[in-house]
Amino acid sequence: MSSQTPAVQISDLTFSHRPPGGLPRDAVVALKDVNLSLPKGSCTLLIGGNGAGKSTLLYILAGKRMIQQGQVRVFGKDVFKDFPPNLVYLGTEWAMNAGVKRDIVVSDFLNSVGGYRHKERRDRLLDILDIDLDWHMHAISDGERRRVQLCMGLMGEWDLLLLDEVTVDLDVLVRDGLLKFLKEETITRNATIVYATHIFDGLDDFPTHIAHMNDGSFVLNPTPWPFNPADPALNPQVVKAGSSLHSIALYWLANDRALRIKEEKEGKRAKTRGPRTQATPSDVDRESFFKNYDYSH
């Protein structure tokens, strides 16, 4: 594999969610005309509001959603026909799975997924994530269970890491140590990271690229960070928004919301969020029904 081969290459990707048994007309478009290329050793931060398409994109990169249109390659391989080795996806749903809340000791759990084969990296992560090997999986907090998930997923030598909000349960000290470890991996092993998060504190020195997603599309494709004010691809107002990731994200998300509200007022999209201006017959029926069982007065 050539050293010039991108870590991730996406061309003309459009993806729709179709309800079970639904017709094509019932499909909801989640990603539209996505094109991007990420170099090896990069760490890309996906910024966008809830429903922007970040999780769907990570799912597709992980080969968990079959696409209808476009091409997705990881290290030059079609992710659906020739799944690349050493790709790790870590999302939020794992810690909620009933299967990992059983009475099993953490040391046994990690060994059951090959921890003994990665002793040096496993032990380093146990220290960074402050994990007690004698914990019982059913008796620990969601944040502690999240730490075990991260140790399990990161102890092997991955080449592409896809992270979807998995640091949300971590305390600030553990999160800081984890981010330093991940950054080191991109530098020393040329590993690649794509990370979606809504927590921007302490991240200013973490990514090599940042991207802005809204409504299933890239408003700004992955762009080197920190921004170069002379970059013609950048909106001058973005550069003026601030020098921190938090200020940039706040500016982008506020603009996304303002655009949605403007399009709703112009009739370009239906208004579905916030209070309803006119109650539907079903709303009236429900209100009448529940008034009969309102014991608050």
Side-chain angles (χ1 to χ4, degrees):
M1 180 172 57
S2 169
S3 60
Q4 301 301 316
T5 303
V8 175
Q9 183 83 47
I10 298 178
S11 304
D12 303 320
L13 171 62
T14 293
F15 177 82
S16 300
H17 294 291
R18 187 186 300 180
L23 299 173
R25 65 172 178 267
D26 301 320
V28 177
V29 178
L31 295 172
K32 295 175 286 189
D33 300 321
V34 172
N35 293 273
L36 63 84
S37 179
L38 301 177
K40 296 174 188 174
S42 61
C43 179
T44 300
L45 198 65
L46 300 179
I47 300 175
N50 298 129
K54 305 182 302 298
S55 294
T56 300
L57 179 64
L58 291 174
Y59 252 57
I60 288 172
L61 281 173
K64 295 177 178 290
R65 292 284 187 275
M66 182 62 72
I67 61 175
Q68 301 107 358
Q69 176 184 326
Q71 188 175 69
V72 178
R73 291 187 174 275
V74 172
F75 303 118
K77 297 181 178 181
D78 187 310
V79 75
F80 302 103
K81 297 178 181 177
D82 189 9
F83 192 80
N86 301 332
L87 184 158
V88 171
Y89 166 87
L90 297 175
T92 55
E93 68 279 359
W94 184 91
M96 301 296 106
N97 191 305
V100 300
K101 290 186 175 182
R102 296 178 179 176
D103 187 6
I104 179 171
V105 179
V106 168
S107 58
D108 293 336
F109 180 84
L110 291 177
N111 280 331
S112 73
V113 291
Y116 58 90
R117 295 197 300 267
H118 312 286
K119 188 177 185 307
E120 184 176 344
R121 286 174 61 87
R122 179 202 62 189
D123 288 352
R124 186 178 176 201
L125 284 162
L126 288 173
D127 184 48
I128 291 171
L129 297 167
D130 200 23
I131 294 171
D132 184 340
L133 284 171
D134 291 328
W135 281 343
H136 289 245
M137 291 293 288
H138 77 298
I140 57 179
S141 70
D142 289 342
E144 289 167 335
R145 203 173 291 114
R146 182 74 65 206
R147 299 182 197 187
V148 176
Q149 175 194 12
L150 286 161
C151 183
M152 177 193 73
L154 300 175
M155 61 189 180
E157 288 198 343
W158 41 271
D159 293 322
L160 175 62
L161 176 65
L162 308 173
L163 298 175
D164 190 6
E165 289 290 355
V166 290
T167 60
V168 67
D169 298 320
L170 304 182
D171 66 50
V172 66
L173 183 62
V174 169
R175 180 173 172 271
D176 182 68
L178 173 65
L179 292 175
K180 288 176 180 175
F181 169 80
L182 296 178
K183 185 71 174 181
E184 180 184 319
E185 292 283 277
T186 65
I187 295 170
T188 61
R189 296 200 303 105
N190 209 32
T192 306
I193 299 172
V194 184
Y195 178 27
T197 184
H198 294 291
I199 303 173
F200 302 103
D201 294 342
L203 276 185
D204 285 332
D205 297 328
F206 182 67
T208 60
H209 297 70
I210 67 172
H212 175 199
M213 294 189 71
N214 181 43
D215 204 19
S217 299
F218 275 95
V219 182
L220 179 71
N221 265 44
T223 301
W225 173 263
F227 285 151
N228 175 4
D231 187 341
L234 293 176
N235 182 327
Q237 295 303 316
V238 173
V239 178
K240 293 178 182 178
S243 58
S244 72
L245 282 173
H246 184 272
S247 61
I248 294 289
L250 191 62
Y251 173 81
W252 277 342
L253 268 61
N255 275 6
D256 293 346
R257 185 174 184 181
L259 176 62
R260 190 193 80 227
I261 292 172
K262 178 176 180 290
E263 290 180 346
E264 289 171 349
K265 289 180 177 179
E266 293 174 348
K268 295 179 180 179
R269 69 163 73 197
K271 185 180 186 302
T272 58
R273 305 190 189 191
R276 292 176 177 170
T277 55
Q278 291 184 331
T280 65
S282 60
D283 291 329
V284 175
D285 290 344
R286 291 190 190 101
E287 187 173 332
S288 299
F289 175 83
F290 284 109
K291 276 182 178 177
N292 295 326
Y293 299 94
D294 185 354
Y295 304 110
S296 61
H297 302 293

